[in-house]
Amino acid sequence: MKDVRSREFAVPFLQSLIQADTCNPPGNEHRLALLLQDFLQEAGLDSSIDGVEQGRSNLEAVFTGADKGRKLMFCGHLDTVSPWTAEAGKFPPHGAVIEGGRMYGRGTSDMKGGLAAMLLAAVSLLQEGIKLGGDLIFLATAGEEVDSCGARQYAEQHSLEELDGLVIAEPTGSRVAIGHKGALWLRITLHGRSAHGSMPQLGLNAVEGMMEVIALLKRHALEWQAHDPVLGSSSLSVNSIAGGVQTNVIADRCSIDVDIRTVPPLRHSELLAEITAKLDGMQQLNAGFRYEVEELLDRSVVYTDPGEELIRTALELAGGAGEPGQGAISADTCADAEHVAGGVAGTVAVPTERGAVSAAVHGVSYYTDASVLHNHGKLPVLIYGPGDPKLAHQPDEWIDIEAYLESISFYRELALRFLGGAPD
């Protein structure tokens, strides 16, 4: 096998990952897990594939180090969002076309580029006979783009207490990110009473009632709004509404989907209890209405102290990349429905082993599998990837090939520094 860090190997390897369609839904991550397993077997390492659902799998490979050493996990997801249409983009979503120093394709940035770089970094150590001072665990998960089903299954079946650090390869523009906002998605359904459109006084209009619910939520959001210097500000948005039957029928049902993004010190359980109490109060004013609240998604805030060794090591390797004035983007200025373009929300002076360095640590607005795997906030988490977060879920998604190749070296050196070398 060629040197896996070489351009001649690493670029075609990423192309093979992009050409494997793992758009979610439905996912079909098992096909890519098999491809990675074949590569690992050729490199001389066993791996395990764990089925999640029909046609969907996680893959895990352990690069065993010295006994009783640290354990570091490299984690990335196998799935992508849906492909763009031929009308929306110039390049085929799974063509992995290279043009102008970029590779185009669904998942290049989010996040098969980071996934490939992590794996090649780990295999390069094996290829050169370097034994680490502790275990390096490579985990590729299914389902992150929708419900993190792969990460949730892994967390249920494994002890996260044994880990000493977690690295997530989501796109950060090769910047060091120490966390992300939490996400709480709710579906609120209001039930009224149907009547003929010419006699609205005989009914109870759920669509009109929902207007009051939305106004209530907006007022409440202002009451609990919070701001974090790194992660940015909390937010609430109503992004979907459905109700009514036809123009001449009073609507007896209306539902909305609410996207709440949180930062410390907000707690999802407390917010949900407050919202429920507000709705209870509204229902008491008009007993004819009945409401239901369904929790669609609950992803906790992820935040790691920038003084943690994992973060300090990453900052040293990144050379303080992304300092203010170098194209920093506020985490609150860019957003989309699930993953959003992340960037700088603040700057923290972080001491490194080589002395104090004023380096920018970032927060990203999108959520990651870290919210499932960070062991209730006890595990240090680094989010770092070569992709550009602004390109996530966009037509003609691409990755800069040089940034991808450089990230292989970054992950490799991070593992060496954090885990150390095994004694001879």
Side-chain angles (χ1 to χ4, degrees), residues 141-157:
T141 61
E144 189 273 350
E145 293 290 0
V146 174
D147 58 2
S148 291
C149 58
R152 286 191 286 108
Q153 178 170 297
Y154 186 89
E156 291 168 0
Q157 297 178 351

Side-chain angles (χ1 to χ4, degrees), residues 72-76 117-119 121-122 136-140 165-169 410-412 414-415:
L72 178 65
M73 175 177 281
F74 280 176
C75 180
M118 280 183 160
L119 184 55
L136 177 59
I137 301 161
F138 174 80
L139 176 65
L166 172 64
V167 185
I168 301 286
F410 174 90
Y411 294 127
R412 170 191 166 92
L414 181 71

Side-chain angles (χ1 to χ4, degrees), residues 147-393:
D147 58 2
S148 291
C149 58
R152 286 191 286 108
Q153 178 170 297
Y154 186 89
E156 291 168 0
Q157 297 178 351
H158 297 78
S159 173
L160 301 175
E161 297 280 352
E162 298 178 357
L163 296 176
D164 297 287
L166 172 64
V167 185
I168 301 286
E170 292 283 6
T172 66
S174 300
R175 297 185 176 102
V176 174
I178 62 172
H180 61 69
K181 296 180 181 182
L184 177 64
W185 294 357
L186 303 176
R187 176 166 294 158
I188 300 175
T189 303
L190 192 65
H191 298 274
R193 185 172 62 252
S194 181
H196 196 286
S198 66
M199 296 174 280
Q201 71 278 8
L202 300 181
L204 198 59
N205 195 316
V207 169
E208 293 181 354
M210 188 60 79
M211 294 168 63
E212 297 183 28
V213 172
I214 293 172
L216 179 150
L217 291 172
K218 288 295 186 180
R219 290 194 301 271
H220 185 54
L222 291 175
E223 295 173 9
W224 55 253
Q225 191 170 47
H227 180 79
D228 181 89
V230 174
L231 301 184
S233 298
S234 60
S235 63
L236 180 150
S237 57
V238 178
N239 298 328
S240 174
I241 186 167
V245 179
Q246 60 189 65
T247 305
N248 61 347
V249 177
I250 299 300
D252 64 351
R253 183 180 183 279
C254 186
S255 64
I256 57 172
D257 287 355
V258 185
D259 184 341
I260 301 172
R261 300 293 168 132
T262 58
V263 300
L266 299 176
R267 296 181 180 276
H268 292 184
S269 59
E270 294 175 0
L271 284 177
L272 184 56
E274 290 177 14
I275 290 172
T276 301
K278 295 284 187 181
L279 292 172
D280 282 338
M282 191 190 78
Q283 184 171 303
Q284 289 172 8
L285 295 176
N286 194 332
F289 280 121
R290 178 174 60 86
Y291 75 87
E292 298 171 352
V293 179
E294 179 186 357
E295 189 177 289
L296 301 178
L297 179 140
D298 184 359
R299 292 288 178 269
S300 66
V301 170
V302 171
Y303 181 85
T304 299
D305 189 310
E308 286 280 351
E309 183 181 348
L310 181 64
I311 304 301
R312 290 189 287 110
T313 303
L315 285 169
E316 288 186 356
L317 291 173
E323 301 238 354
Q326 297 183 7
I329 305 169
S330 169
D332 289 321
T333 61
C334 36
D336 72 44
E338 180 195 341
H339 278 32
V340 298
V344 180
T347 303
V348 180
V350 184
T352 71
E353 293 180 356
R354 298 178 184 176
V357 176
S358 179
V361 290
H362 310 277
V364 293
S365 300
Y366 54 74
Y367 61 77
T368 75
D369 273 342
S371 62
V372 178
L373 299 171
H374 70 151
N375 192 24
H376 308 289
K378 300 174 186 176
L379 183 63
V381 175
L382 165 67
I383 306 171
Y384 182 97
D388 185 337
K390 297 188 297 298
L391 300 172
H393 304 188

